[in-house]
Each structure stands twice: as C-alpha cells, then as structure tokens.
Amino acid sequence: MSERLRGLARAKINLGLAVLGRRPDGYHDLASVFVRLALADALSVAFAGGPPTTDPAADLLEVVGRRPTEDPGQDLVLRAAALLRTEAGRPLPPLAFRLVKRIPVAAGLGGGSADAAAALALAGRAWGLVLGRAQRLELAARLGSDVPFFAAGLPAAWVEGRGERIESVPPPGDLGVLLVSPKAGLDTAAVFAAFDRLAAAEARSQPPRDAVPERAGRASGEAGAWSSTVGDLAAAMRDGNDLWPAAADLCPGLVELRERLERSLERPVLLSGSGPTLVALYPSGTAAAAAVRRVDAPDANVIATQAA
Ligand code: C5P
C-alpha cells in the first residue's frame, strides 16, 4: 500500500426504536429501522512505518474536528484495528489513521460505530485480509451494538436483537433529514439505565410489543418500497422511540426544544437512537437545507443531510 486508503463513515438515524426487554447480559433487545445518512466522518489510513507486529497498541490515530478520546486506546477506530490484528494472529504493519469528524458525538447518530466499521474495512484492505460477511459482522458486534449495521453496508435495515440481526429494507428514496443535535450529548449507557429506572417506576419492565415500528420496516420489506409519504412516516414514528422518556429525563430542555421545533418546522420531530439528536423529515435534502434557517437552537448543532 503506497497511497492512503480512504473511506466514509456515514451516520444513521433511527425511525422508531422499540425496547423489547432487558437481557441477562445487561443489554436490551431492540427493534428499529436504521437509515444511513449522507452525513459522514472521513477516515483514511496509511502505514505508520516500523516493522510488522502483533502489538494491539501499535496503531496511531489523529483526530480532526473533535477533542481526542481521553484514552486513545479506547477510541473505536483503534479498537477496531486492534481487534482485527489480534484476529489475524500474525505480525502486521502498524497503521496511522486520520479521522475527520463531522458527525456530532454522543448524539444518537452512530458516529463512533460508523468510524469503527470504516476502520475495520480500511485496516482489512491495508493488510490484505479478506473477511466473509459473517466474520465481518461478528467482529463488528464485538466493537459495539450499532457497528454491525454499518459493517453490513446497507442504506436501510430492520435491526433486531442487541443490534446484530440485520435485515435489508429498501432505502427510503429521497428523504431529506434535518438534525438538531444538542451539544451536551448523551451517554448511551446512561440512557438505557434511565430507561430501566423509569420502566421499573412504572412497574412495566417491557413496553408492549405493538410499540415496534413494524410499519416502516416490515411493510417496506414486503412491498419492496416505502409505502408511506414522508409526512405519514414522521407522524407514525414520532412517538415510536421508547428511549424518549429516558433521553428527555437526562437532557435538560429536550422536551421544550422538541416543542419549539415542531412549532417552527410545522412537522413532527423524532428522536434518533438514544438521543439527544432531534430529527425532522423532508421530501428532499434541498428542502431540509432550506429549513435550517427556521431553527433557533443556539446550544445545538444543526445539520441538513439526506438518506444515502
Ligand atoms: O454496544 P455499545 O457499547 O454501543 O452500547 C453502549 C451501552 O448502551 C451498553 O453498555 C448498554 O448499556 C447500552 N445498550 C443496551 N442495549 C443495546 C445497546 C446498547 O443496553 N441493544
């Protein structure tokens, strides 16, 4: 490899997210429609120099656009490279990654997971390792619950289990996406812990099965096309994220921000993943971009993008 290898790590939104129950391993079984976005981090890699090694801490990462992780070894890019190196079980040249961050972090947009999937793919190419789909997804699942969706390389999917059961659904076509992402962010583990606390307080350990957003996932899979208009889709999904009460509990001002956005954008506003990113849907990326000026949210990143 004489040139840098480059890849895009695209973000996602969730259209509905049902929490079906807590598992013995502490994770939660989910059902959700994941839709990939054009918004992406840029990851590239070159050989760092130095002899081939089995040392899982041999690879380097430069990050542009956000503060580096306190312990660089915990960054998902380096964890992905270390995992692949260990799996290969033979000395491989040290890699130097460069990550340009554009996806807000701790936002419910899967940024870190997308980076991990991109790192797995680039490290594999750099080292000339060929992974089958099953092996790729298995390694991805070891890096994080959302990583298999990104490693599967699908524009849209019905996702179940902890995040490892992935079924392709047709992409939603032209779908503009306006993201309003409170800068404070939310820790995914804290949101799930708050979900458990709130569920216990309500003496209901599992939300009803009919909270599963079957409409977008199953219906589209069967019909071969998204049957809903953007407006119907947003209305159907608005209250389809079971993590909303937990995210609203942990993120001050989120309820008011959503109310304000729904008034100024004149459409339903959804929560993506564990939040706190709020999402409004449009018939095109251009329409989403035109709506940016209607958003008054000084403590949030406002980004117009589209399904991709
Ligand atoms: O898998 P990942 O490391 O991204 O998950 C972060 C945290 O979110 C987990 O430690 C867990 O607390 C929670 N989580 C969960 N159920 C999932 C995915 C994540 O409880 N399906």
Side-chain angles (χ1 to χ4, degrees), residues 166-186:
I166 293 155
E167 202 182 299
S168 177
V169 300
D174 284 336
L175 183 68
V177 177
L178 182 65
L179 305 171
V180 180
S181 196
K183 288 177 187 160
L186 276 178

Side-chain angles (χ1 to χ4, degrees), residues 80 83-89 120-121 124 128-143 147-148 151-152 164:
L83 178 63
L84 196 55
R85 183 187 291 281
T86 305
E87 281 296 300
L120 265 186
L129 302 172
V130 182
L131 298 183
R133 183 177 188 274
Q135 195 186 6
R136 196 156 32 98
L137 295 192
E138 196 271 319
L139 291 182
R142 279 154 65 181
L143 292 165
V147 186
E164 77 286 3

Side-chain angles (χ1 to χ4, degrees), residues 22-23 26-30 76 79 113 141 143-147 161-163 187-190 192-193 196:
R22 191 157 192 271
R23 307 161 21 142
Y27 284 89
H28 295 74
D29 277 320
L30 309 177
L76 275 166
R79 281 180 47 207
S113 304
L143 292 165
S145 305
D146 285 350
V147 186
R162 205 191 109 203
D187 174 51
T188 305
F192 277 100
D196 289 339

Side-chain angles (χ1 to χ4, degrees), residues 11-36:
K12 58 86 181 163
I13 53 169
N14 300 82
L15 296 181
L17 191 161
V19 183
L20 302 175
R22 191 157 192 271
R23 307 161 21 142
D25 63 6
Y27 284 89
H28 295 74
D29 277 320
L30 309 177
S32 180
V33 176
F34 280 53
V35 174
R36 202 173 59 184

